[in-house]
Amino acid sequence: MNVDPADEPRAADDPAWHVDHGRALVGAEPPGDPVPGGDWERACTVVRGYQFTDPHRLRGIFRPDDPLLGRDMLLEGRFGPLRFHLGVRITGIVDEVRDGTRVWGWSYDTLHGHLEQGRLTYEVVKDLATGEVEFVIRAFSRRAPIPDPVLVTGFALFGRAVQLEFYHRAGQRVRDLVGAARGGRPLPRPVPDPDGIAVAPEGSRHLRGDSLALLVRRPGPSAPPAARRVRVT
């Protein structure tokens, strides 16, 4: 990972970081434990399969048969004619009852070569008293020390706006997919190729303009030599 735990923000107003907490109402059930096959489970399926991103902004490439905890994902950020390949690793899973809510979700940390440093947590939360089901994003992030001055300028001009747009559209997409499933449409799921690799969201493997796009691999700084020698097993 490209974040030193000692540098993580200790408060929401930490000036060195963007600390975000967004939530979107995506469904409702009767009060009490989640209903089998209900909106909470539907939203969990969407989040587990990384089906909540806008494919015109961000796609995820991963092996869905790998365990969720510890899974590496290659994210493809899309901005105009540029495609950025960004690595993340799933470092935490939440599956608990917390303060009168039923919560399931997971977190990923950014890896060396990413444009940003930080952690994103995606959760599906059911209020056991009201039955409301929410999709919640909690995140802290900042620009990585990008070596390319052109990318630094582009990130300064557009990075925060694109980030906030991503949060907003993710909530909308979870709500739309859960609503469509409630009406009888199958939920999208990651479909691996014969090599075991899936591209999410479903149906986004080939998009218009991909053949003409400029691919930027590892736009952020690489790991120092000592870190590159470490193998996680």
Side-chain angles (χ1 to χ4, degrees):
M1 277 77 79
N2 66 356
V3 180
D4 185 340
D7 292 336
E8 294 179 8
R10 305 303 175 188
D13 60 353
D14 190 321
W17 296 88
H18 292 300
V19 181
D20 299 310
H21 186 182
R23 50 199 323 122
L25 182 65
V26 299
E29 299 179 352
D33 291 337
V35 176
D39 283 354
W40 187 82
E41 288 192 356
R42 293 183 183 112
C44 289
T45 298
V46 172
V47 174
R48 178 184 292 275
Y50 204 65
Q51 301 295 314
F52 54 85
T53 67
D54 177 354
H56 298 286
R57 284 296 192 196
L58 189 69
R59 297 191 290 187
I61 298 96
F62 56 95
R63 295 182 182 275
D65 290 338
D66 286 351
L68 185 60
L69 185 61
R71 177 186 295 170
D72 287 336
M73 298 176 61
L74 180 67
L75 305 184
E76 182 185 67
R78 305 166 62 82
F79 187 79
L82 301 178
R83 305 290 183 265
F84 298 98
H85 278 184
L86 314 167
V88 299
R89 178 170 298 145
I90 296 177
T91 54
I93 296 175
V94 179
D95 189 1
E96 63 185 11
V97 175
R98 178 203 304 156
D99 299 329
T101 63
R102 180 69 174 89
V103 184
W104 184 88
W106 50 271
S107 305
Y108 67 60
D109 284 47
T110 51
L111 302 180
H112 286 282
H114 202 292
L115 283 168
E116 293 182 300
Q117 298 174 324
R119 176 180 303 132
L120 269 73
T121 300
Y122 305 110
E123 294 178 340
V124 182
V125 180
K126 177 178 180 179
D127 188 314
L128 299 178
T130 68
E132 291 184 340
V133 178
E134 292 185 311
F135 172 62
V136 177
I137 294 179
R138 293 184 288 107
F140 64 86
S141 63
R142 66 185 178 191
R143 178 179 62 81
I146 304 169
D148 188 325
V150 175
L151 294 182
V152 170
T153 301
F155 193 96
L157 292 174
F158 305 108
R160 183 60 174 164
V162 170
Q163 184 180 55
L164 295 176
E165 177 192 48
F166 165 74
Y167 296 156
H168 179 68
R169 291 191 179 186
Q172 285 184 325
R173 185 167 169 85
V174 176
R175 181 171 58 247
D176 291 346
L177 290 173
V178 168
R182 195 185 308 124
R185 182 177 299 178
L187 285 169
R189 300 174 185 269
V191 179
D193 278 351
D195 58 7
I197 295 174
V199 178
E202 184 183 50
S204 65
R205 178 170 288 277
H206 301 291
L207 297 178
R208 182 183 302 174
D210 283 349
S211 60
L212 300 177
L214 176 62
L215 175 60
V216 184
R217 294 184 175 89
R218 299 176 60 86
S222 298
R228 287 200 297 267
R229 289 197 296 270
V230 175
R231 180 181 297 274
V232 177
T233 59

